[in-house]
Amino acid sequence: MLEAPFDPVKLAIPFFILAILLEIGLGRLRLASAEYEARDTAASLAMGLLRGIPALLTAGLIFAATVWVWEHRVLTVPFDAWWGWVAIFFLDDLIYYVFHRLSHERRFWWAAHVNHHSSQHYNLSTALRQTWTGGLAGTWLLWLPLAFLGFSPAQIAIQQGISLVYQFWIHTEAVGRMPAWFEAVFNTPSHHRVHHARNPRYLDRNYAGILIIWDKMFGTFQAELDEEKPRYGLIRNLGSFNILTVAFHEWIAIGRDLASARSLREVGGYLFGPPAWSPDGSRDTSKSLRARWAARQSAGATPAE
Amino acid sequence: MTEGQPAPRPPSSFRGVRLDAIDIVPDSCTSQEPAIPIPAFLSQLAVSGVAVLVIVALAAAARLARSTPPLDEAAARALLADDFPDAQIDQVWLAADGAAALALSGSQALYLFRLGDAWVARDLAWSDVASAPVRGGRLHLPLSDVSPRLARPALAGWAPETA
């Protein structure tokens, strides 16, 4: 099967709308924690609403590439086999972890992903602040091995949709912590608040999609700490609600840096180094911020002599 | 097997997984419908757009924004400390409306301004700030970022030469 018989994301849109309205209502009644700023919300929702337009530019290419790889598959995983869905659930989630980590740790892909983190709010509307340039960044290539293994393009698309729908509900402060067993296995609002935080302690942590186990396996897990409330947004927050700025600001910054590059090393660093990489190390990367935070912690913990 | 009929293709397998190819003609090629039904896409977009407007209106009416009272010096220092925890702040100038602050930190300037119900911070060289023009009572600060590229705070008591 090539085309998915249904799109989980489309089916979930009414749920998205109702859930946001519920979160606003609970916040208004002070029954749950929810902070909304109208222009921030408008920017987030507009990013989600209009993402389908730029996606049209690359949808055909992605579909054709996936079909081509699938035509050269080594196995055929039947669409209706339960074990196929179990397998793709885990494989897709592992690929999502890799994609997400790459999208934070290398600037070219960060440029496509940064808009999702550009709100200083963390509510359900933030979940819909989706990328416009993900297709151009080419991270969809990471999913092609699934087609090569024998998962049909439809099955891959459905599983990606299920993952996206799952990740909607974790963008909230209205939910504190889930039961311990759930927190141990699944990505949750608590884990994902850490991911969206810009506190140095929380930077580049919790890349999970559905299962938090990958972060625990690969050493990128950080629990949310009661004594350190997450501060959301970017290391250098955006100074605008303009959705074109939200969508393209990092690409513009890359272009400006490339224009000033004096060597191939600098070109490579600006494109594929960590976000905020600079030739002289004068800009703060996540790594340098974490290192300075750790140094301050050590200094604070050392008894005065 | 009936003679004259093509022999059915024997299903091959690999460890129990069927390897025979299945029909790879795209579903979209078997009907006259366009692959991307543009009118349906546009109508979905329009309906979703209305939903977005309703949500934004409700979010505004619910008054769930954070409280961001006008800055005083202590608040400005605390907010700047979040973004620049290692910075030693020597002097602070506040905007007359309390929506921005400029601080001197060694050879650096730290600039803070309100955006909606949040604060945004930037750092730049103090020499750029000291030489920035003042027009109509507003300092024209050249920020190096994509957005904003220029800030125009009306700072109370702004006199860089005294810093």
Side-chain angles (χ1 to χ4, degrees), chain A residues 1-3 63 65-93 95 143-160, chain B residues 17-18 22 24:
Chain A
M1 186 179 291
L2 289 176
E3 290 188 358
F63 183 68
T66 308
V67 169
W68 186 85
V69 171
W70 186 65
E71 286 174 349
H72 296 81
R73 62 195 180 277
V74 292
L75 308 169
T76 294
V77 180
F79 187 81
D80 54 359
W82 66 267
W83 55 266
W85 288 101
V86 172
I88 199 172
F89 171 80
F90 284 99
L91 290 171
D92 169 79
D93 208 47
I95 291 171
W143 274 265
L144 292 184
L146 288 181
F148 185 66
L149 271 178
F151 294 98
S152 68
Q155 200 164 9
I156 296 169
I158 288 171
Q159 185 56 44
Q160 286 178 320
Chain B
V17 178
R18 290 179 61 190
I22 52 179
I24 59 168

Side-chain angles (χ1 to χ4, degrees), chain B residues 25-96:
Chain B
V25 177
D27 295 348
S28 58
C29 296
T30 59
S31 73
Q32 297 303 309
E33 295 294 321
I36 303 167
I38 298 298
F41 175 75
L42 291 178
S43 57
Q44 281 174 15
L45 199 62
V47 171
S48 300
V50 171
V52 165
L53 292 176
V54 170
I55 291 173
V56 171
L58 285 173
R63 299 182 184 279
L64 294 175
R66 298 170 186 140
S67 171
T68 47
L71 288 173
D72 57 23
E73 183 168 337
R77 285 178 180 269
L79 287 165
L80 286 169
D82 281 342
D83 276 70
F84 308 104
D86 298 320
Q88 299 289 323
I89 294 176
D90 306 314
Q91 195 168 346
V92 175
W93 292 265
L94 298 172

Side-chain angles (χ1 to χ4, degrees), chain A residues 297-305:
Chain A
Q297 295 295 109
S298 299
T302 304
E305 294 182 12

Side-chain angles (χ1 to χ4, degrees), chain B residues 66-157:
Chain B
R66 298 170 186 140
S67 171
T68 47
L71 288 173
D72 57 23
E73 183 168 337
R77 285 178 180 269
L79 287 165
L80 286 169
D82 281 342
D83 276 70
F84 308 104
D86 298 320
Q88 299 289 323
I89 294 176
D90 306 314
Q91 195 168 346
V92 175
W93 292 265
L94 298 172
D97 61 359
L102 180 69
L104 169 64
S105 174
S107 61
Q108 290 292 106
L110 310 178
Y111 181 61
L112 183 72
F113 64 99
R114 186 163 55 201
L115 178 77
D117 65 347
W119 297 95
V120 177
R122 293 286 185 268
D123 60 332
L124 61 162
W126 178 256
S127 55
D128 292 342
V129 175
S131 60
V134 177
R135 298 190 190 111
R138 291 181 176 275
L139 180 65
H140 282 51
L141 275 179
L143 303 177
S144 59
D145 278 300
V146 173
S147 174
R149 303 181 80 160
L150 183 71
R152 288 179 293 183
L155 298 176

Side-chain angles (χ1 to χ4, degrees), chain A residues 178-247:
Chain A
M178 301 297 288
W181 68 269
F182 196 91
E183 294 280 346
V185 178
F186 291 99
N187 198 5
T188 63
S190 175
H191 297 329
H192 208 57
R193 284 194 288 271
V194 166
H195 177 70
H196 273 256
R198 62 194 192 97
N199 315 41
R201 182 202 296 266
Y202 293 152
L203 288 174
D204 286 354
R205 289 295 179 267
N206 298 4
Y207 296 117
I210 297 177
L211 298 171
I212 199 68
I213 57 173
W214 310 117
D215 284 290
K216 294 182 176 180
M217 285 170 63
F218 299 123
T220 50
F221 176 71
Q222 171 64 54
E224 183 183 30
L225 303 173
D226 291 334
E227 64 270 26
E228 185 156 353
K229 185 175 162 52
R231 291 181 287 112
Y232 305 109
L234 305 173
I235 292 171
R236 292 172 73 88
N237 277 308
L238 276 187
S240 170
F241 294 119
N242 183 322
I243 56 172
L244 294 177
T245 303
V246 171

Side-chain angles (χ1 to χ4, degrees), chain A residues 155-168:
Chain A
Q155 200 164 9
I156 296 169
I158 288 171
Q159 185 56 44
Q160 286 178 320
I162 290 170
S163 179
L164 193 67
V165 171
Y166 178 86
Q167 291 178 57
F168 170 78

